[in-house]
Amino acid sequence: TWRKHQTSGFKDKDGFEREVVRHVETTLARSLYNCDEAAAYSATALAFRDRLILEWNRTQQRQTFVDSKRVYYLSLEFLMGRALDNAMLNVGQKELAKVGLSELGFRIEDVIQQEHDAALGNGGLGRLAACFLDSLASLNYPAWGYGLRYRYGIFKQEIIDGYQVEVPDYWLDFNPWEFPRHDVTVDIQFYGSVEKKTNDAGRTVCHWEGGETVKAVAYDMPIPGHATPTTNNLRLWSSKAASGEFDFQKFNSGDYESSVADQQRAETISAVLYPNDNLDRGKELRLKQQYFWVAASLYDIVRRFKKTKRPWNEFPEQVAIQLNDTHPTLAIVELQRILVDLEGLEWDEAWNIVVNTFGYTNHTVLPEALEKWSVPLVQHLLPRHLQIIYDINLFFLQKVERKFPGDVQLLRDVSIIEESQPKMVRMAYLAIVGSHKVNGVAELHSELIQATIFKDFVRIFGPDKFTNVTNGITPRRWLHQANPRLSELIASKTGGYGFLKDLTQLNQLELHVNDKQFRKEWAEIKYANKVRLAKHITATTGITVNPTALFDVQVKRIHEYKRQQMNIFGAIHRYLTLKAMSPEERQKQLPRVSIFGGKAAPGYWMAKQIIHLINSVGAVINNDKDIGDLLKVVFVEDYNVSKAEMIIPASDISEHISTAGTEASGTSNMKFVLNGGLIIGTCDGANIEITREIDEPNIFLFGHLSEEVEPLRHAHRYGAASPLDPDLARVFEEIEKGTFGNPQDFAGMISAVRDHGDYYLVSDDFSSYIATHDAVDEAYRDQEGWITKCITSVSRMGFFSSDRCINEYAEGIWNVEPLKVGEHA
Ligand code: 26Q
């Protein structure tokens, strides 16, 4: 079937070149003589897009014809990154394009770099959704993603005078990967009121009336699978003023401005991605986004189901909907509303369908990230939905009361409505009650949610409703695309590129771990990747870094729980240690480059302080003649998916150092190890499972365990904690002396640790952290031993493919099977 697929690709390089030229001259209306790299990118993207469209249409026809169950992945974030390289590799025609482009006078790398990232996400949760789409298509699952078409993705980060400055990310100027479907629209209602009416059958029905209407317009993006014709669909909704709403009265009476303002207000709904990750701030516009997207998606899904003419009770046999965190939880309420109010089903019958349709994935235990919406706000925006939520809660609490009679405290604790001032809707509880499966994203995380925030629900529903699906990453993007030379070397030792579709085949590498030539090539590739990153660092920051130094990387969203502050305190400690040495002693030290990257939420003051401290420390250390190459501190601006593809393959050691029990999974940890980097980490999230797979000697673990965290916090609160770590005290002293600029700028960071209970246990873990970094130096000095660790680790990473992960969802939660391709084409 793959060979057959080739028929819809380019026949040869000449065929590809003809298409590029045609697009330059016609679609872009340019002459070949003034075709720059940007135009070459556009034409190449359009040429590949044409190929994808054919398979995309066939895939949709095939899936409709077979009429099998479909998966719908609802996510407010899809952090896709660039699409061209991915498309070329997935259809297996990058080599041909490379030759074709070079004959036209372009380097394929430069052409690829022209593309703007599709950055419709914050971090891990959004990137996970993108990896899942890749796996779903690559494994031939009939699946759709549903999201919002933000006009502005996550902001671009600039560093000015050491501070983060946010710049809007307008990414839609030229986007060949999206297809507007102006014929696929849904009118979405907000506000208004509920009227009770009696229908012809004498039954009371609720009518949601009045309010305002906004139109949702579908934009589709093709998602090509790797080495398969399956090309799935990502449908993103864009908001527009509904035709009836455009106020022609005003328009005609000359109040043109305010009629345009109405239009703009409608378009605001899909205007911007909220840039907070792991923090809930109850903004009305965010709730509007959620309902707008959920209602449009459900309308679409229900419309598709109705075409099959099946009875409603077969809905869960045709449809599986996965909720990526609580952001789409209103879908539960909306489906119940559709079935009861619009389709006339009895409550219980409808509810049964709802629960069997939905699955809910939790991505956090942090209390500040658990979504809640105020009852008055929901009442105002979605009056009928609030009633349904109250009814869902009533029936649920009745069930609890029957099972645990008289336990009033339990009823209060598990109620979907929190009896606070104002009352709040607890979205996670609603998601649990309305789903048939709830999963965490790594083993420790899944255990923790069952033992802490959701423990009452485990008692009520039994343990089978709760499960774990450990996250994974797509090896296509995170190995083959990001690190083509390593991928090629691996292919040469494992009998081809089969590992890209069955990552467990990596285990064959272990047979070659002592192969001298192989080890040499392995080391050369890592070095070349470091040289590439070093060049980028010099070009963007002016700092020269030595590519033979140990590259120590921490790139992820800036958050106190991820403890970038501990990393930079550690760098200061290293600096002070080096400064205190004699020149002779100093010469014996191992050179190191400490690389940071990541965005702070614009309103997260402490995270912004951390960025400022990193840059201030770099400014001092990088210019200290005593230190030279021994230590550099670099902050890479605007960390995003494309930067990750360059940075991750260049790492020797990366840091995954969250306070134990706070990072649900982490997924970059998997990416780094897969690219032949080792990691230093706490016993948290997926680090634990990575350790189990690759074995203790290949990972640098440190710090307190998750079960020790509460007692330590308790000790801090009651003045029973150990005194501040002396090395850390010395670091604070140096900051307070003004060595790194105005100490006032960093006072908050210091006092959080020293005076306010050290919630993230930076002091408690500091000595263990420093000692482990010394162990990293020791290990790195033994280059042969280091390479052995790297190769061994990569060979044992098969478990962390998102293909494994998607197969677990398919079997354990969705009950769907891959569609055999090639039979109905
Ligand atoms: C909620 C309400 C209002 C506004 C924003 C939000 C919001 C937005 C994004 C809350 C959370 C997020 C993102 C969370 C996230 O990225 N979590 C990460 O998910 C990864 C994939 O499972 C895990 O690997 C990480 O451990 C987890 O932090």
Side-chain angles (χ1 to χ4, degrees):
T1 58
W2 173 235
R3 204 170 309 118
K4 182 170 168 202
H5 173 52
Q6 298 283 324
T7 59
S8 73
F10 305 104
K11 234 167 84 212
D12 50 26
K13 68 173 171 49
D14 295 329
F16 165 72
E17 286 175 50
R18 268 197 302 279
E19 285 301 286
V20 171
V21 171
R22 184 176 69 80
H23 277 300
V24 170
E25 293 184 335
T26 62
T27 321
L28 304 175
R30 292 176 73 142
S31 98
L32 265 189
Y33 299 101
N34 70 9
C35 175
D36 55 8
E37 268 165 6
Y41 159 70
S42 302
T44 306
L46 290 165
F48 271 93
R49 181 180 92 155
D50 291 343
R51 305 297 111 190
L52 293 190
I53 292 171
L54 299 175
E55 292 302 354
W56 193 24
N57 285 334
R58 282 183 212 160
T59 301
Q60 296 316 315
Q61 280 166 21
R62 191 161 56 233
Q63 293 178 1
T64 305
F65 179 81
V66 181
D67 197 23
S68 61
K69 184 168 183 175
R70 282 193 178 92
V71 178
Y72 297 103
Y73 198 77
L74 266 58
S75 178
L76 259 190
E77 306 193 6
F78 288 94
L79 198 43
M80 303 297 284
R82 291 182 177 138
L84 175 59
D85 200 2
N86 182 250
M88 293 191 299
L89 289 168
N90 277 10
V91 305
Q93 298 206 302
K94 186 174 179 182
E95 270 312 304
L96 166 157
K98 183 177 175 176
V99 178
L101 281 169
S102 97
E103 289 186 1
L104 293 168
F106 297 97
R107 280 171 24 119
I108 194 169
E109 294 78 21
D110 301 334
V111 171
I112 288 168
Q113 301 277 340
Q114 293 296 314
E115 183 173 354
H116 199 107
D117 272 35
L120 307 184
N122 276 286
L125 168 147
R127 183 55 231 178
L128 186 76
C131 284
F132 281 6
L133 292 182
D134 183 78
S135 284
L136 285 162
S138 297
L139 295 167
N140 304 311
Y141 284 104
W144 286 50
Y146 275 107
L148 269 189
R149 179 180 177 269
Y150 302 108
R151 202 151 11 111
Y152 296 92
I154 188 70
F155 62 87
K156 274 183 176 309
Q157 178 193 57
E158 289 183 5
I159 302 296
I160 297 179
D161 297 335
Y163 291 94
Q164 167 175 299
V165 174
E166 298 95 22
V167 180
D169 168 50
Y170 185 79
W171 68 294
L172 291 170
D173 262 346
F174 174 76
N175 181 3
W177 307 107
E178 65 169 12
F179 292 80
R181 306 285 191 199
H182 293 293
D183 55 325
V184 182
T185 65
V186 187
D187 281 346
I188 308 296
Q189 188 180 353
F190 293 104
Y191 308 107
S193 57
V194 182
E195 297 293 322
K196 280 209 165 89
K197 292 192 176 149
T198 311
N199 70 6
D200 301 342
R203 186 169 173 264
T204 314
V205 282
C206 291
H207 274 270
W208 178 18
E209 295 172 347
E212 70 175 44
T213 305
V214 178
K215 193 197 288 287
V217 182
Y219 284 72
D220 289 346
M221 285 171 63
I223 307 294
H226 183 91
T228 166
T230 299
T231 304
N232 282 337
N233 194 21
L234 170 59
R235 177 157 283 179
L236 303 177
W237 298 104
S238 183
S239 62
K240 249 184 101 166
S243 39
E245 297 281 305
F246 187 78
D247 196 333
F248 283 95
Q249 217 46 48
K250 281 185 195 165
F251 187 83
N252 292 331
S253 65
D255 194 0
Y256 177 67
E257 276 177 21
S258 86
S259 87
V260 172
D262 288 350
Q263 188 136 336
Q264 281 180 343
R265 211 158 44 83
E267 289 174 13
T268 302
I269 293 179
S270 61
V272 50
L273 166 78
Y274 274 87
N276 298 319
D277 83 319
N278 285 299
L279 177 72
D280 171 43
R281 319 240 323 247
K283 291 271 184 24
E284 176 170 348
L285 182 60
R286 169 87 178 181
L287 187 61
K288 266 185 130 167
Q289 287 186 333
Q290 293 185 350
Y291 181 66
F292 170 81
W293 150 66
V294 148
S297 306
L298 266 181
Y299 185 91
D300 213 38
I301 293 166
V302 166
R303 171 167 62 191
R304 203 166 296 124
F305 173 78
K306 281 178 145 185
K307 278 197 195 151
T308 70
K309 302 265 178 356
R310 290 167 189 261
W312 282 109
N313 63 11
E314 289 180 17
F315 191 81
E317 291 157 36
Q318 290 293 104
V319 174
I321 303 179
Q322 192 64 25
L323 306 175
N324 198 20
D325 216 294
T326 51
H327 315 156
T329 302
L330 284 171
I332 288 168
V333 191
E334 176 70 359
L335 182 57
Q336 182 71 5
R337 185 183 77 86
I338 292 171
L339 296 176
V340 172
D341 289 1
L342 307 181
E343 302 295 337
L345 272 67
E346 293 300 325
W347 180 276
D348 287 343
E349 191 190 358
W351 186 243
N352 206 21
I353 292 168
V354 168
V355 171
N356 285 316
T357 299
F358 288 100
Y360 155 53
T361 305
N362 170 280
H363 296 265
T364 189
V365 287
L366 302 185
E368 66 270 29
L370 292 177
E371 240 186 324
K372 289 177 189 177
W373 291 104
S374 94
V375 166
L377 176 59
V378 179
Q379 159 79 51
H380 179 55
L381 190 68
L382 303 165
R384 177 59 185 141
H385 293 77
L386 186 67
Q387 293 178 342
I388 294 174
I389 291 169
Y390 268 95
D391 286 345
I392 292 171
N393 196 37
L394 176 71
F395 295 128
F396 167 60
L397 292 180
Q398 283 173 352
K399 176 182 157 146
V400 177
E401 166 65 24
R402 279 196 299 276
K403 191 156 179 180
F404 302 98
D407 194 340
V408 189
Q409 186 57 42
L410 180 66
L411 294 180
R412 244 197 301 278
D413 288 346
V414 301
S415 173
I416 293 169
I417 306 297
E418 179 183 272
E419 296 293 328
S420 46
Q421 199 49 256
K423 291 183 183 164
M424 305 290 275
V425 182
R426 297 158 158 166
M427 301 307 269
Y429 292 5
L430 180 54
I432 295 171
V433 173
S435 302
H436 66 286
K437 283 277 181 190
V438 177
N439 75 285
V441 290
E443 273 176 20
L444 175 70
H445 169 64
S446 297
E447 282 166 21
L448 283 177
I449 60 179
Q450 290 174 54
T452 62
I453 52 176
F454 301 152
K455 66 172 187 306
D456 293 328
F457 292 89
V458 177
R459 278 175 68 207
I460 292 163
F461 291 109
D464 290 351
K465 180 159 178 164
F466 295 84
T467 186
N468 170 249
V469 184
T470 298
N471 281 168
I473 57 172
T474 169
R476 273 78 62 181
R477 182 174 292 259
W478 297 112
L479 180 52
H480 194 47
Q481 182 179 321
N483 204 343
R485 285 188 61 195
L486 190 63
S487 184
E488 192 183 347
L489 179 62
I490 291 171
S492 76
K493 294 294 170 192
T494 58
Y497 286 99
F499 67 95
L500 291 176
K501 294 286 277 263
D502 171 14
L503 202 61
T504 61
Q505 289 180 23
L506 287 177
N507 64 13
Q508 297 170 52
L509 287 179
E510 222 160 334
L511 302 171
H512 304 276
V513 68
N514 292 318
D515 175 337
K516 279 229 171 69
Q517 183 59 26
F518 173 58
R519 295 168 62 90
K520 188 165 156 268
E521 286 173 39
W522 187 280
E524 275 170 14
I525 291 166
K526 178 60 77 180
Y527 183 73
N529 290 334
K530 289 169 71 177
V531 169
R532 179 171 66 152
L533 176 57
K535 282 188 180 146
H536 174 82
I537 289 172
T538 307
T540 53
T541 67
I543 304 165
T544 39
V545 299
N546 176 358
T548 65
L550 187 154
F551 278 20
D552 168 356
V553 182
Q554 188 178 17
V555 283
K556 47 183 90 234
R557 287 298 290 256
I558 312 290
H559 212 296
E560 286 166 282
Y561 86 80
K562 295 176 188 282
R563 297 201 292 191
Q564 284 94 351
Q565 71 276 41
M566 187 165 76
N567 187 346
I568 191 63
F569 293 153
I572 295 173
H573 174 264
R574 180 171 282 261
Y575 175 61
L576 297 176
T577 309
L578 288 168
K579 286 292 268 187
M581 287 175 180
S582 67
E584 299 75 50
E585 207 184 340
R586 218 179 272 151
Q587 288 228 301
K588 296 185 216 145
Q589 302 306 307
L590 197 74
R592 199 184 255 250
V593 185
S594 194
I595 299 164
F596 293 82
K599 293 172 186 177
Y604 191 172
W605 176 78
M606 189 74 87
K608 289 184 147 179
Q609 266 198 358
I610 294 171
I611 292 176
H612 184 212
L613 180 60
I614 294 167
N615 284 303
S616 304
V617 168
V620 171
I621 298 180
N622 300 339
N623 296 304
D624 189 326
K625 296 280 178 299
D626 294 346
I627 300 301
D629 269 359
L630 288 180
L631 183 59
K632 296 284 180 202
V633 172
V634 177
F635 191 94
V636 178
E637 200 173 65
D638 197 40
Y639 179 63
N640 60 16
V641 172
S642 296
K643 298 266 169 71
E645 289 169 20
M646 168 175 57
I647 294 170
I648 290 169
S651 140
D652 292 308
I653 191 104
S654 63
E655 310 225 5
H656 309 275
I657 57 177
S658 49
T659 310
T662 62
E663 188 72 275
S665 162
T667 43
S668 77
N669 42 7
M670 303 166 190
K671 296 167 194 167
F672 279 101
V673 180
L674 187 62
N675 281 279
L678 302 186
I679 65 183
I680 173 166
T682 43
C683 292
D684 200 16
N687 292 352
I688 296 170
E689 286 151 89
I690 292 175
T691 307
R692 189 180 63 204
E693 295 294 311
I694 71 177
D695 248 5
E696 287 249 18
N698 299 312
I699 189 165
F700 298 92
L701 292 178
F702 75 97
H704 287 93
L705 305 178
S706 68
E707 59 266 30
E708 298 168 330
V709 167
E710 250 330 295
L712 283 166
R713 283 179 178 164
H714 188 270
H716 280 290
R717 274 198 289 277
Y718 295 94
S722 328
L724 188 67
D725 178 273
D727 286 330
L728 189 58
R730 177 72 190 84
V731 168
F732 288 173
E733 199 180 294
E734 201 66 28
I735 296 172
E736 290 179 327
K737 259 172 46 188
T739 304
F740 308 106
N742 184 355
Q744 245 3 76
D745 293 354
F746 314 117
M749 288 176 64
I750 293 179
S751 66
V753 174
R754 197 172 48 196
D755 315 317
H756 298 126
D758 193 13
Y759 190 74
Y760 296 103
L761 308 182
V762 171
S763 175
D764 301 85
D765 279 349
F766 199 68
S767 65
S768 158
Y769 180 61
I770 297 300
T772 306
H773 267 299
D774 292 341
V776 169
D777 281 347
E778 263 323 288
Y780 195 73
R781 284 177 189 281
D782 170 16
Q783 269 298 300
E784 290 306 321
W786 186 274
I787 292 172
T788 301
K789 285 182 197 295
C790 295
I791 296 173
T792 311
S793 300
V794 172
S795 74
R796 299 174 180 175
M797 283 298 285
F799 179 75
F800 299 100
S801 170
S802 46
D803 295 346
R804 182 269 313 154
C805 184
I806 283 299
N807 282 326
E808 285 182 19
Y809 278 98
E811 191 176 320
I813 299 177
W814 302 330
N815 192 28
V816 290
E817 293 196 343
L819 211 150
K820 289 202 179 57
V821 293
E823 293 177 357
H824 306 277

